[in-house]
């Protein structure tokens, strides 16, 4: 059973500060120290994450699978990049929160030149048709491997009065606090 909105808000308040004083002083807040300590525990369990990525490589052979986990965020993140021959250049990102038993899947559309790849659009529910198949597969794998529930979009969009890296109120949402402050930032 998914945590309630109230439970999720209570959880994220433990890991993200409600003011930017520590950021401005270049110090870690008590909340940031708790997040760092949690990451130290979670990184010891990376085998399960690597197994998921390996499983996705077999299940999505036409995609390039990558790891986009960054400990400044609060989730493990995987990325499935469409092949160069695909009619649309895109990626599907799966996130497994380390704060609560929830996951999210979203898409990125790219505009590319020979030298660069730029995110032109971040896509949430409903995803474009060409992203739905790989997104559904990634969601099923996250649910099966972690036992997590997908965070409903209406909860993910809930504003939170917290400072999540460079995201600050009123622009910070529960999605940013549970998964990634800059969802379009992938390797």
């Amino acid at each position: 059973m998914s945590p309630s909105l109230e439970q999720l808000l209570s959880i994220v308040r433990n890991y993200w500060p409600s003011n930017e004083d520590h950021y401005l002083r270049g110090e870690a807040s008590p909340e940031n120290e708790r997040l760092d300590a949690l990451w130290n525990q979670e990184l010891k369990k990376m085998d399960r994450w690597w197994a998921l990525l390996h499983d996705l490589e077999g299940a999505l052979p036409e995609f390039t699978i990558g790891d986009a986990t960054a400990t400044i965020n609060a989730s493990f993140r995987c990325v499935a990049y469409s092949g160069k021959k695909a009619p649309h250049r895109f990626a599907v990102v799966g996130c497994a929160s380390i704060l609560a038993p929830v996951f999210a899947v979203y898409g990125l559309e790219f505009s590319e030149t020979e030298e660069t790849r730029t995110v032109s659009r971040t896509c949430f529910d409903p995803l474009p048709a060409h992203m739905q198949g790989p997104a559904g597969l990634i969601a099923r794998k996250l649910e099966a491997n972690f036992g997590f529930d997908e965070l409903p979009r209406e909860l993910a969009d809930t504003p939170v009065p917290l400072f999540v890296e460079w995201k600050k109120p009123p622009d910070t949402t529960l999605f940013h606090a549970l998964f990634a402050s800059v969802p379009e930032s992938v390797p």
Side-chain angles (χ1 to χ4, degrees), residues 51-82:
L52 172 75
L53 295 179
H54 182 71
D55 192 18
L56 288 173
E57 286 173 346
L60 294 168
E62 66 280 12
F63 287 79
T64 301
I65 306 299
D67 180 34
T69 302
T71 58
I72 62 167
N73 293 311
S75 69
F76 289 100
R77 287 194 310 155
C78 63
V79 185
Y81 294 96
S82 64

Side-chain angles (χ1 to χ4, degrees), residues 79-147:
V79 185
Y81 294 96
S82 64
K84 292 195 185 282
K85 294 180 181 181
H88 302 281
R89 295 292 290 146
F90 69 94
V92 176
V93 182
C95 310
S97 179
I98 67 165
L99 304 182
V102 293
F103 71 88
V105 178
Y106 63 95
L108 301 171
E109 290 186 340
F110 299 115
S111 58
E112 293 193 57
T113 65
E114 286 188 28
E115 293 101 33
T116 63
R117 179 187 72 211
T118 306
V119 174
S120 60
R121 184 168 77 125
T122 304
C123 308
F124 294 99
D125 287 334
L127 290 174
H130 59 277
M131 293 182 188
Q132 290 177 6
L137 185 114
I138 290 171
R140 289 188 299 279
K141 297 284 185 187
L142 284 167
E143 187 174 19
N145 285 298
F146 289 87

